[in-house]
């Protein structure tokens, strides 16, 4: 269950806070709705609950705040707005990437795709999905780690009635099996029809916390539903009599032969029909919407939305709004009905185990562990779900995906698997690498044609006029994208509210970025040498004599640029800032280091390699001391020293921001 206490957002200058002392409960086995007009504070409440926004108050998810849960995505499934993902990524690739982040088996992606009816669209790009398919994918992302709680913001906004009905059926199925569901809406009709408990917000405050039955009786407009083969004539007569008697009666023509009459009673309408000899097939009290929407046929007011007893009755076996026969049995009044509303029924808290028992099927299994991160849901493994085409064509939702019976232990390879899927799921890296190879080859050919360029700079395609060669710029760009995309398309935002600043994620990004930069460095030199050999012959493709030190310098430069891009983008939350930090190293830091090294000094480091061999006392196998000496010479160069200082400063800044976020 969810328990929110005193949620209050920080005040905005001279304006009152968007959320002011909001407290409520969302019980397990129930569907709870936050209802309010746009700007009432519904989204701000969810952001405070998920620790996305700074403020006061605390929220417990089954007894623990979110920051105390080891794996939040396995406890809370979140959907705020559109699906957070790169628009060029495929539907299946997005889910597989999130599987790697959550530490669940990759086959889980195919299971939830089949449940939400997106199997036929699994190779579509996220940017091409319609609104309804995007909502289905968002629900699939929320259900991916088999969470106990679902928190959804404006789930059905902009969807058709059929899509809304399907999504609400999925939420009801989740609640029926012991889960907790909390979603926001601006439509009172939708709240009354689908929720068990409705919390009404106005100007950031709770003005009502009611069961669905009480909400329908107290906060929705009463009306009379009429069915007659002479509906048009009856509507005109009712409007005429209301004007004569100076009464406020609204008559709205529904589809077919139905009327919705506001401001009147079954008795008055039945008497009017009897006096004029109009046959009436149905005469029943119902509840309608507080808001208006539509076009009335007989009064210059807007048509009110409808919550029919059939819509509000089923809610997958929970709350019901049955239509009862009225006591108007005489022939002059015709058939009638009254609105007796039964309270919404939720699963008792004592009947809902931590593992979310399958009460609908009468099956209950013990949990694997005490905490939500270690507990295995005990939903019965459903029969084979229907195909995606059948799910799309049917209004009834398919069974929920089977539970994850085995929880994988924390693994240091989980962030690495996530980063590999993130980097390989879109074509940005491949296009960047191809652009670097082509531009580097062209620059090398032009430099060879001009002449007066050293051999090592020719192979690296690094003219003296440029601060960095194309390979180093490409590696820095790929490193900046590695963290910049996390903030631009925050696929991990559902895990802990914001992009997590964990050292495991940073290490995975540094490792993948470094390996990518190393591969790019060798491919660039190889392509440049091959192009120079084809165009100008063997003379310009020779290996330099001091290739060992040059190779170490080249590798250090490219990997250092990629790491600088990763760290800077993680600190400044922007790809552009990461690339700017990469370019700033040779433009700003190198001249500064050169100025320091060129200053007057009493002693020099001459004979360093000889003393290094004497210190080691023995020769390393395979000439290992040569590599160590080459690395020392690289660090002594201005570029190497500037890059090392920059990386150290960026790493310290990243660790500082990480500690600050954890303290907050």
């Amino acid at each position: 269950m969810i328990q929110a206490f005193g949620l209050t957002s920080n005040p905005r200058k001279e304006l009152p806070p968007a959320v002011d002392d909001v407290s409520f409960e969302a019980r397990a086995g129930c569907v709870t709705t936050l209802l309010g007009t746009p700007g009432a504070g519904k989204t701000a409440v969810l952001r405070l609950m998920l620790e996305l926004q700074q403020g006061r108050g605390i929220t417990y998810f089954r007894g623990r705040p979110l920051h105390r849960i080891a794996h939040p995505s396995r406890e809370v499934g979140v959907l705020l707005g559109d699906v957070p993902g790169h628009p060029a990524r495929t539907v299946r690739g997005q889910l597989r990437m999130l599987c790697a982040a959550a530490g669940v088996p990759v086959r889980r992606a195919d299971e939830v795709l089949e449940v939400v009816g997106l199997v036929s669209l699994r190779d579509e790009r996220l940017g091409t999905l319609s609104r309804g398919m995007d909502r289905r994918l968002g629900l699939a992302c929320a259900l991916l780690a088999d969470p106990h709680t679902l928190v959804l913001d404006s789930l059905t906004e902009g969807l058709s009635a059929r899509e809304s009905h399907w999504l609400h059926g999925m939420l009801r199925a989740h609640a029926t099996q012991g889960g907790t569901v909390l979603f926001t809406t601006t439509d009172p009709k939708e709240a009354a029809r689908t929720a068990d408990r409705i919390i009404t917000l106005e100007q950031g405050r709770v003005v009502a916390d009611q069961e669905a039955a009480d909400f329908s009786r107290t906060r929705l407009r009463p009306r009379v539903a009429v069915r007659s083969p002479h509906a048009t004539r009856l509507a005109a007569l009712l409007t005429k009599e209301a004007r004569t008697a100076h009464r406020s009666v609204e008559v709205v023509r529904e589809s077919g032969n139905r009327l919705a009459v506001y401001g009147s009673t079954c008795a008055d309408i039945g008497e009017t029909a009897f006096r004029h000899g109009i046959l009436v097939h149905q005469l029943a009290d119902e509840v309608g919407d507080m808001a208006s929407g539509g076009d009335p046929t007989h009064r210059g007011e807007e048509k009110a939305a409808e919550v029919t007893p059939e819509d509000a009755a089923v809610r997958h076996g929970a709350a019901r709004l049955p239509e009862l026969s009225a006591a108007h049995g005489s022939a002059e009044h015709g058939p009638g009905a009254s609105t007796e509303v039964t309270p919404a029924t939720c699963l008792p808290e004592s009947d809902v185990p931590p593992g979310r028992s399958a009460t609908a099927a009468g099956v209950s299994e013990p949990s694997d562990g005490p905490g939500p991160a270690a507990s295995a849901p005990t939903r019965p493994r459903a029969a084979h779900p229907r195909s995606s085409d059948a799910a799309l064509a049917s209004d009834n939702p398919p069974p929920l995906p089977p539970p994850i019976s085995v929880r994988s232990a924390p693994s240091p390879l989980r962030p690495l698997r996530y980063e590999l899927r993130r980097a390989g799921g879109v074509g940005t890296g491949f296009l960047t690498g191809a652009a670097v190879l082509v531009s580097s080859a062209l620059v090398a050919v032009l430099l060879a044609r001009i002449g007066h360029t050293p051999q090592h700079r020719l192979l690296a395609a690094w003219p003296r006029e440029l601060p960095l060669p194309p390979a180093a710029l490409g590696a820095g760009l790929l490193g900046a994208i590695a963290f910049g995309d996390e903030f631009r398309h925050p696929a991990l935002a559902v895990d802990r509210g914001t992009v997590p600043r964990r050292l495991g994620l940073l290490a995975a990004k540094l490792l993948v970025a470094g390996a990518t930069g190393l591969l790019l460095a060798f491919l660039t030199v190889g392509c440049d040498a091959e192009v120079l050999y084809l165009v100008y012959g063997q003379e310009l493709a020779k290996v330099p004599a001091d290739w060992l030190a040059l190779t170490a310098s080249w590798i250090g430069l490219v990997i250092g640029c990629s790491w600088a891009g990763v760290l800077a983008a993680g600190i400044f939350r922007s790809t552009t800032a990461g690339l700017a930090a990469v370019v700033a190293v040779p433009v700003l830091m190198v001249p500064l280091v050169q100025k320091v090294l060129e200053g007057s000094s009493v002693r020099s480091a001459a004979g360093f390699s000889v003393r290094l061999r004497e210190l080691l006392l023995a020769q390393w196998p395979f000439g290992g001391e040569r590599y160590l000496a080459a690395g020392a010479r690289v660090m002594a160069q201005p570029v190497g020293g500037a890059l090392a200082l920059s990386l150290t400063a960026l790493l310290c800044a990243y660790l500082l921001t990480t500690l600050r976020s954890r303290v907050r």
Side-chain angles (χ1 to χ4, degrees):
M1 65 182 300
I2 301 175
Q3 296 172 301
F5 301 101
L7 297 179
T8 304
S9 60
N10 293 335
R12 301 159 294 175
K13 296 183 180 180
E14 298 179 355
L15 300 176
V19 177
D20 189 5
D21 196 20
V22 172
S23 301
F24 63 90
E25 282 189 1
R27 297 194 296 270
C30 291
V31 177
T32 306
T33 298
L34 288 178
L35 173 66
T37 59
K42 306 182 298 299
T43 303
V45 169
L46 298 187
R47 292 178 66 85
L48 287 170
M49 291 171 50
L50 299 171
E51 301 176 3
L52 268 171
Q53 182 175 329
Q54 293 186 7
R56 298 188 299 275
I58 192 169
T59 303
Y60 292 104
F61 297 90
R62 289 205 290 179
R64 289 185 294 176
L66 193 65
H67 62 271
R68 295 291 186 184
I69 301 175
H71 300 287
S73 62
R74 299 182 183 178
E75 176 65 25
V76 185
V78 181
L79 177 60
L80 302 179
D82 296 333
V83 176
H86 197 288
R89 200 179 304 276
T90 62
V91 171
R92 191 183 187 190
Q94 173 79 3
L95 291 176
R96 283 173 169 260
M97 183 184 68
L98 295 179
C99 283
V104 299
V106 178
R107 67 176 183 275
R108 182 71 174 177
D110 297 324
E111 293 175 355
V112 296
L113 276 178
E114 192 167 3
V115 167
V116 300
L118 292 180
V119 172
S120 59
L121 302 178
R122 60 186 177 184
D123 294 327
E124 294 292 325
R125 307 292 179 181
L126 298 186
T128 63
L129 295 180
S130 64
R131 177 69 176 177
M133 297 302 102
D134 182 85
R135 296 289 88 187
R136 289 182 182 234
L137 178 59
L139 185 60
C141 294
L143 293 172
L144 195 63
D146 199 16
H148 175 272
T149 303
L150 293 179
V151 177
L152 313 163
D153 186 25
S154 301
L155 179 65
T156 59
E157 182 180 358
L159 299 184
S160 64
R162 180 182 176 186
E163 284 285 351
S164 301
H165 176 72
W166 190 92
L167 289 172
H168 286 306
M170 291 290 295
L171 300 186
R172 174 58 56 187
H174 184 83
T176 301
Q177 297 184 5
T180 304
V181 177
L182 176 66
F183 72 96
T184 67
T185 182
T186 59
D187 187 4
K189 167 191 172 183
E190 178 186 5
R193 186 175 62 248
T194 59
D196 301 313
R197 191 165 192 86
I198 300 168
I199 302 164
T200 307
L201 298 178
E202 289 183 7
Q203 297 181 353
R205 291 178 175 269
V206 176
V207 296
D209 188 348
Q210 303 167 295
E211 299 289 343
D214 297 334
F215 175 84
S216 300
R217 284 196 300 263
T218 59
R219 300 188 67 83
L220 295 183
R221 294 176 60 189
R223 68 183 177 191
V224 179
V226 183
R227 278 197 306 162
S228 171
H230 309 288
T232 303
R233 182 185 171 199
L234 180 58
L237 290 173
L238 292 175
T239 303
K240 181 179 178 180
E241 290 186 2
R243 289 175 179 173
T244 303
H246 300 287
R247 292 188 299 128
S248 177
V249 176
E250 178 184 358
V251 182
V252 178
R253 179 70 180 272
E254 303 287 352
S255 60
N257 57 358
R258 297 188 58 184
L259 296 176
V261 183
Y262 298 88
S264 186
T265 63
C266 288
D268 293 339
I269 298 172
E271 290 174 358
T272 301
F274 179 77
R275 285 196 306 269
H276 295 85
I278 298 177
L279 178 64
V280 176
H281 290 164
Q282 181 188 18
L283 198 62
D285 288 325
E286 292 183 351
V287 288
D289 200 357
M290 291 183 298
S292 296
D295 295 320
T297 58
H298 287 283
R299 193 162 179 241
E301 297 182 6
E302 295 180 340
K303 170 185 172 183
E306 178 185 5
V307 180
T308 63
E310 293 84 356
D311 292 336
V314 182
R315 287 214 298 268
H316 296 268
R320 293 180 177 271
L321 295 175
E323 178 185 345
L324 302 180
S325 300
H328 304 288
S330 61
E332 63 178 8
H333 289 88
S338 62
T339 53
E340 290 291 329
V341 184
T342 59
T345 57
C346 297
L347 296 177
E349 194 66 33
S350 59
D351 294 341
V352 181
R356 203 171 57 202
S357 64
T359 57
V363 180
S364 179
E365 300 177 5
S367 300
D368 291 341
S375 63
T378 57
R379 290 201 303 261
R381 188 169 293 273
H384 184 69
R386 68 188 68 182
S387 65
S388 60
D389 296 335
L392 286 170
S394 174
D395 290 337
N396 297 323
L400 290 176
I404 302 175
S405 57
V406 179
R407 295 291 192 183
S408 58
S411 171
L413 297 180
R414 192 178 71 185
L416 182 60
R417 286 195 293 265
Y418 162 78
E419 181 61 22
L420 289 174
R421 292 191 179 276
R422 185 209 63 79
V426 295
T428 304
F430 302 103
L431 292 177
T432 303
V436 166
L437 293 178
V438 172
S439 60
S440 181
L442 292 177
V443 171
V445 170
L446 291 176
L447 289 178
R449 182 178 181 83
I450 296 173
H452 309 292
T453 302
Q455 179 69 16
H456 62 279
R457 281 185 171 268
L458 192 62
L459 292 176
W462 189 2
R464 298 183 183 275
E465 293 78 12
L466 293 181
L468 288 173
L473 284 174
L477 177 60
L478 292 177
I481 291 175
F483 238 134
D485 273 355
E486 298 289 0
F487 300 100
R488 187 179 179 185
H489 309 290
L492 293 181
V494 296
D495 190 29
R496 194 180 284 273
T498 57
V499 177
R501 293 182 173 275
R502 298 175 182 170
L503 295 182
L505 182 63
L506 174 63
K509 290 187 178 297
L510 291 177
L511 181 60
V512 174
T516 304
L518 184 62
L519 178 63
L520 194 60
F522 281 108
L523 288 178
T524 302
V525 173
C527 289
D528 292 347
E530 188 67 23
V531 170
L532 290 174
Y533 172 75
L534 291 175
V535 176
Y536 297 107
Q538 182 69 30
E539 182 180 358
L540 294 181
K542 292 181 179 179
V543 178
D546 53 345
W547 64 271
L548 181 60
L550 292 175
T551 301
S553 301
W554 179 240
I555 293 175
L557 176 65
V558 176
I559 294 180
C561 287
S562 64
W563 286 358
V566 170
L567 293 171
I571 295 170
F572 301 108
R573 301 171 176 248
S574 171
T575 302
T576 305
L579 186 59
V582 173
V583 178
V585 172
V587 174
L588 299 178
M589 292 297 297
V590 170
L592 181 62
V593 173
Q594 284 180 338
K595 187 175 181 180
V596 172
L597 294 178
E598 290 175 358
S600 59
S601 59
V602 178
R603 294 180 178 88
S604 64
F608 174 76
S609 58
V610 177
R611 292 191 295 272
L612 185 62
R613 293 191 186 95
E614 295 176 353
L615 179 63
L616 296 176
L617 297 178
Q619 297 291 327
W620 284 21
F622 307 106
E625 71 280 358
R626 292 186 301 163
Y627 298 97
L628 187 60
R633 288 197 299 270
V634 170
M635 294 301 298
Q637 296 177 1
V639 176
L643 196 57
L645 290 176
S646 301
L647 289 176
T648 303
L650 290 173
L651 182 59
C652 293
Y654 184 89
L655 295 177
L656 180 61
T657 55
T658 302
L659 293 176
R660 283 187 61 189
S661 63
R662 290 185 178 180
V663 169
R664 287 180 179 178

